[in-house]
Amino acid sequence: AGEDEHSVFTATVTVDGVETPFSEAIPFSASLGDPSSLVVTSQGQGSYSAVISTEGMSAEIPAPFSRGLEISRTWSTPDGEPIQPDDPLAVGDLVVVTVTIRTPRSPRTVRNIAIVDALPGGLEPENPRLMTSASSVLGGSSNADQLEFLDDRVLIFTSASRELRTYRYALRASTVGRFAVPPLEASSMYDPDLGAQTEGSSLEITP
């Protein structure tokens, strides 16, 4: 929340019953998560403005497509058994993710490709630098320019060519529930005509 140049006021932001004061001299800014209620009250002269922005995954998932790129994502157990979308997991289970990409028709190598694997709730990235049961099942991956493990997604920055490139990493089931599995996405950072997206699915995690 902020003020115009003629404002002199005191105000309060109340989020889920917790009050935080602000004024024309002390703006209020915070990450609110998912509040059930938010109230702004003020006293004084002039006016103030409030800006609220949200971010997250859309509930409506676009249809899969392939424009110059082909991508796929499969899940398996550490023993190599495929995990189907309707196969329930249990808390603590390890999921080996295999992502592939290629450019089926391009005679050249396409650089600066970003692959985004947005994770469903209930799954967390398994740190590949730690010595866990995942370390012995992640061999055979192609080299990526950069691989980032965030709380809610895995990012792969790489190149693509006619030769199939494969990337593997591990996720750990951590929370009981039923979750939407977002589609896998890939795009060229410098060529908007190149892109691909797979289908989404759902996931159940049991105790």
Side-chain angles (χ1 to χ4, degrees), residues 26-199:
I26 308 175
F28 170 82
S29 177
S31 176
L32 302 178
D34 186 17
S36 59
S37 65
L38 185 151
V39 178
V40 180
T41 58
S42 67
Q43 293 180 338
Q45 300 177 355
S47 62
Y48 61 83
S49 60
V51 177
I52 300 175
S53 62
T54 62
E55 63 181 23
M57 299 294 297
S58 172
E60 296 183 2
I61 299 176
F65 64 86
S66 176
R67 297 193 303 265
L69 294 175
E70 288 186 356
I71 57 173
S72 71
R73 174 185 59 196
T74 59
W75 289 356
S76 63
T77 68
D79 295 330
E81 293 294 326
I83 299 175
Q84 304 300 333
D86 55 351
D87 291 343
L89 299 175
V91 170
D93 282 353
L94 192 69
V95 177
V96 177
V97 182
T98 300
V99 170
T100 65
I101 185 171
R102 71 185 186 110
T103 54
R105 292 179 294 275
S106 176
R108 61 184 177 88
T109 297
V110 180
R111 305 189 184 280
N112 301 304
I113 300 294
I115 303 173
V116 180
D117 187 4
L119 304 181
L123 288 182
E124 298 178 351
E126 185 83 351
N127 191 334
R129 296 178 178 84
L130 299 179
M131 294 303 294
T132 68
S133 57
S135 60
S136 63
V137 298
L138 301 181
S141 291
S142 302
N143 291 327
D145 297 334
Q146 187 173 345
L147 183 62
E148 295 184 9
F149 294 90
L150 306 180
D151 291 340
D152 63 345
R153 65 196 59 205
V154 176
L155 304 177
I156 304 170
F157 299 95
T158 186
S159 301
S161 65
R162 287 181 176 176
E163 180 182 355
L164 194 69
R165 301 192 180 198
T166 302
Y167 305 95
R168 291 187 178 90
Y169 43 90
L171 307 176
R172 182 77 66 176
S174 60
T175 306
V176 174
R178 188 165 187 85
F179 308 95
V181 180
L184 180 72
E185 301 178 21
S187 61
S188 168
M189 291 184 279
Y190 299 107
D191 186 349
D193 292 333
L194 290 176
Q197 179 175 280
T198 66
E199 289 185 330

